[in-house]
Amino acid sequence: MTHTDFPSGAPRVRAARRPAAVPRWAVLERELFAAQDKAWRIFADRYTETDGRLVFRDTLGQGLDDRDGVDDFYEPFFNWPTLYLLGGSADLLSASRRHWDGVSDQLTGMGMLVDGMERGYDWFHQGEGMLFFYALCLADPHDARLRTLALRFADFYLPGGPNYDPGHRVIRAPHNGAGGPRPGFSDHDTYFPWSPSLRPYGLPLDWIDEAASFDELAASPDRARAYGRAMWDRMGRGDTAVNLAATGLAANAHLLSGEQRYADWVTEYVGAWQERSAGHPVLPDNVGLGGGVGEYLEGRWYGAHYGWCWPHGLSSVASAAIVGATNATLLTGDTGYLDLARNPLDAVLRHAEQKSAEQMGTLGERWLPHLLAMDADRTLMVPQRHDDSGWFDFTVMPGQLPVSLWHFSRDRADAERVERLREGSAWDWSTVHIQRIKEEAGHEEPWFEYLHGRNSGFPEEMLRCALASCAQRVESIGNDTVDPAVGPDALGIHHWQHLNPVVTEALLQLTTGAPQVLYNGGLAQLHLRYFDAEGRRPGLPTDVAALVSDIRPEHTVVELVNLGTAVRSLVVQAGTYAEHLLHTVQVDEEDVRPVEGPYCAVELPAGTWVRLTLTMTLRAAGATYLSPWEVTA
């Protein structure tokens, strides 16, 4: 190894301890990397063309629901660049680029993209589709094509772009994108979303026609058209809270380019929504083109598309609020923006109740394994939605929301919110269920318990869970009956998401000390990040396993193990974007050494193990996509 393997100025530590036995978690972690290296290739061989596009002989953009589907083509690959970033195989990056380009060409040919970006749709779905792009930019920030796209996408939302009114600080429509504001929900102005999947959520504007039901409107075309027109007028114009997820475009552009105008827009837009919360019981979900809350909803703070009424309430509003607030805080260091993220969580908690599994509302499927295993009859649930009758649709609080906020802030009040949920829960927070939902989250509670010293078996259990999930997906691919030469039809485009065998939640939690990325448009918020010093590439080196066991504000604890027969060298970085400042590092029980920078260099001789105890200040440095070698140079 030469001096140039490590960034200049980064303090070096060398492992010297040899464990009597290799920790089981370390073996399982490397097995997970190896299993996924095979699995993603199996998926690509079965479902993609040589240019990276998905095998799909049908088309999108037809019929009444003519705006949906773009996100579903990107989502099967959303976590592939993240696996590379964590230490996946080197060719996974080029494969991810090929699939991004191929799918983009495919969607452009179907008329769904303009200048490489979605023509115009809601940000609940656009956020899902953009995860793949954000992860690619983070994994390879020097790709000139990605940088050009990132700045172009963000410019659609900055002052001077088609979507934003700087005078009223509003995005001009709930559906927006490269084609500018796109009023309504389809290109048919009386369209009502009749998808059977929406039936459980009821009607969004129940005060418009109090006697209406989903089935009654379906049976009466004239009545349905009138209802669709009402939705267009009241929900199809103006700004919505879920548009806060669009700040990810500008944050990504700022991190790539350093241009201050992108950061300025993020803080301006997030600040506008903070101001709108004043005088209302919770963050409003709508504002008109004139800048007024309730402008098209007879003064109601609720009723927007993907707002508090319909269809998902808390999951969509709170997720967008967290995305916007964390983006603004990341770019400025001002933690005051996080109050916007706390607002929806605290509002629903004020109305929390103990309820039975039979009283579970919509979006409850994720909790069935937990509730079926509990001994008690009831557990704490919060209302997800609000309409003229008040708060309703109770379910368990989605764990990724309060845990992601606590992880980002590391604030005592945010930890206490999670503890309150834990205390009110009748199900076992320490159990790891083998469960896979499309956002590949859902194990926040047992991870939280592990970090607080109450779930010592979590690392091995979580890794076995991830290995089982990956194996189940590979088996399902082998048993898939869809014609490989034709692919699914337009009604089956979720097919690929359900078969994506890449699993990163376990690796994010255990190696970086971070939860899964928020699925509706979040940027990665890793506590620690690694670079292979010999290969000068992101991720853990070959044969190296990592385990973050403590991320308290006072210190961070990480163990590193080299399972191989060669020396491995790596750089430990504080934060996804080198935004945290390391002060000291303690190697095992030795003396504490000063750092005063975002990096620490580690040399791991064959078969060695080391425990690092780090102290740091969160977000004390400017965030950047640059590698340690570029920053120190």
Side-chain angles (χ1 to χ4, degrees), residues 355-361 367-368 371-372 374 376-379 381 394:
K355 288 186 174 291
S356 67
E358 290 74 22
Q359 294 174 292
M360 176 79 78
W367 305 104
L368 289 179
L371 302 191
L372 291 174
M374 72 180 186
D377 296 328
R378 292 171 173 267
T379 192
M381 298 188 190
F394 282 75

Side-chain angles (χ1 to χ4, degrees), residues 26 193 253 314 318 365 416 461 525 563 614 619:
L314 175 70
E365 182 180 0
E416 289 173 350
E461 292 176 12
Q525 304 293 349
L563 284 72
L614 308 164
R619 290 175 293 280

Side-chain angles (χ1 to χ4, degrees), residues 275-297:
E275 293 174 19
R276 291 163 192 154
S277 298
H280 298 285
V282 67
L283 170 68
D285 65 15
N286 72 93
V287 60
L289 292 174
V293 172
E295 194 170 323
Y296 308 130
L297 292 159

Side-chain angles (χ1 to χ4, degrees), residues 369-626:
H370 307 75
L371 302 191
L372 291 174
M374 72 180 186
D375 296 328
D377 296 328
R378 292 171 173 267
T379 192
L380 190 72
M381 298 188 190
V382 298
Q384 295 187 95
R385 299 194 279 162
H386 186 286
D387 62 11
D388 281 4
S389 66
W391 290 101
F392 70 106
D393 196 3
F394 282 75
T395 192
V396 175
M397 170 83 81
Q400 61 266 44
L401 299 178
V403 171
S404 293
L405 176 56
W406 160 75
H407 172 267
F408 184 89
S409 74
R410 229 63 56 81
D411 187 275
R412 182 180 300 276
D414 295 321
E416 289 173 350
R417 183 184 301 105
V418 182
E419 291 288 359
R420 178 185 169 188
L421 291 168
R422 175 180 175 269
E423 291 167 3
S425 297
W427 48 278
D428 185 0
W429 271 37
S430 65
T431 301
V432 177
H433 292 277
I434 298 178
Q435 182 186 39
R436 177 75 183 270
I437 52 181
K438 77 169 185 175
E439 53 262 48
E440 216 236 306
H443 298 92
E444 293 81 12
E445 293 83 6
W447 176 59
F448 184 84
E449 293 295 272
Y450 169 66
L451 291 175
H452 288 78
R454 300 186 290 249
N455 195 10
S456 61
F458 174 75
E460 291 185 24
E461 292 176 12
M462 187 62 188
L463 288 164
R464 289 192 179 97
C465 171
L467 282 162
S469 294
C470 180
Q472 287 172 358
R473 293 296 178 92
V474 170
E475 182 180 5
S476 296
I477 292 171
N479 296 330
D480 190 4
T481 58
V482 170
D483 187 344
V486 176
D489 61 21
L491 296 177
I493 54 178
H494 295 97
H495 185 71
W496 306 297
Q497 298 167 30
H498 299 315
L499 293 167
N500 173 21
V502 172
V503 287
T504 54
E505 183 190 19
L507 293 173
L508 284 166
Q509 290 174 338
L510 298 176
T511 71
T512 77
Q516 179 61 287
V517 178
L518 282 177
Y519 196 70
N520 296 102
L523 299 183
Q525 304 293 349
L526 313 184
H527 186 60
L528 296 181
R529 187 178 165 193
Y530 309 97
F531 292 84
D532 181 340
E534 185 175 355
R536 288 202 176 192
R537 55 147 288 184
L540 290 167
T542 301
D543 300 325
V544 174
L547 177 62
V548 176
S549 58
D550 197 336
I551 58 171
R552 281 177 290 181
E554 310 91 76
H555 61 250
T556 294
V557 177
V558 58
E559 298 174 47
L560 299 167
V561 181
N562 181 359
L563 284 72
T565 58
V567 176
R568 300 298 180 191
S569 303
L570 67 152
V571 177
V572 179
Q573 174 176 296
T576 317
Y577 316 101
E579 73 272 27
H580 306 328
L581 178 63
L582 291 172
H583 300 298
T584 63
V585 56
Q586 182 179 23
V587 180
D588 300 326
E589 307 302 325
E590 298 176 9
D591 293 338
V592 175
R593 308 180 193 180
V595 180
E596 298 306 327
Y599 313 112
C600 176
V602 181
E603 184 176 337
L604 290 168
T608 58
W609 166 87
V610 68
R611 175 185 283 115
L612 305 180
T613 301
L614 308 164
T615 62
M616 70 177 74
T617 300
L618 301 183
R619 290 175 293 280
T624 179
Y625 277 167
L626 296 177

